[in-house]
Amino acid sequence: MRQDWSPLAEGRQAKRYSAGQMIYLQGTEADSFYYLTEGTVRSFISSPEGSERLLTIHQAGDLMGEASFFDQCPRVSSAVAVSECRAVAVDRAQLDRVFQSHPELAFPMLRYLARTVRMLSGHVDDISFRPADHRLASVLLERAGEDGVIRVTHEELGSAVGVSRVTVSRVLSRFSVQGWLETGYRSLRLLDRGAMERFAASEP
């Protein structure tokens, strides 16, 4: 069951972002994090040469930018609105008020932060050690909803895994032939989550 972060928005007005608008930038001061109330947001890392690597796609109900907010270091990633969206900025004063009135959110917040750190560590490991098809399987599992649906383009998957769109298409076709997923327009659906999990966890 997903954690309900709506108390973070108490007394705050959500800001509207149009598709393509930056919400926060890599390297900037993280004086707040964000609670996404509507829409979809893409989080990514940029290299000094200008290339990008997708980290995750945030959906309504997610938190964004919390890792840098808590460690008080410059942001390690950027976030841009994929669709029109609304997000509430949560600063330290607001977070203190929320924790005072909703102390039961403290542990879920730590767990969410730990998952973010694990995701970032996983991206480092994937870049360094694992083959593309195993990396892609992990990304698909990470982004699949409870219904197994994954709303993502081949370009976004390629950016997340660090391979070309052609490679993504080839691997997805193989997964489809094996009966693990079915492909559709700008979306995929897991058919055999167990098989995909076993493959993602297996040794190359």
Side-chain angles (χ1 to χ4, degrees), residues 60-72:
D62 287 351
L63 304 182
M64 309 181 298
E66 74 284 356
S68 296
F69 170 81
F70 281 106
D71 72 8
Q72 299 184 326

Side-chain angles (χ1 to χ4, degrees), residues 55 123 126 130 132-146 148-154 156-158 160-161 168 171-176 180-183 187-193 196-197 199-200:
L55 291 180
H123 277 282
D126 283 348
R130 304 179 71 210
D133 52 355
H134 286 70
R135 301 202 307 268
L136 184 56
S138 295
V139 169
L140 294 172
L141 290 165
E142 175 187 313
R143 296 184 188 173
E146 293 183 2
V149 174
I150 308 160
R151 293 180 176 83
V152 67
T153 66
H154 288 196
E156 290 168 343
L157 287 172
V161 178
V168 169
V171 174
L172 291 180
S173 294
R174 177 157 57 87
F175 289 168
S176 178
W180 297 353
L181 57 77
E182 66 178 8
T183 60
S187 69
L188 306 165
R189 186 164 70 90
L190 287 181
L191 300 178
D192 192 338
R193 186 185 294 267
M196 189 76 77
E197 288 175 343
F199 177 76

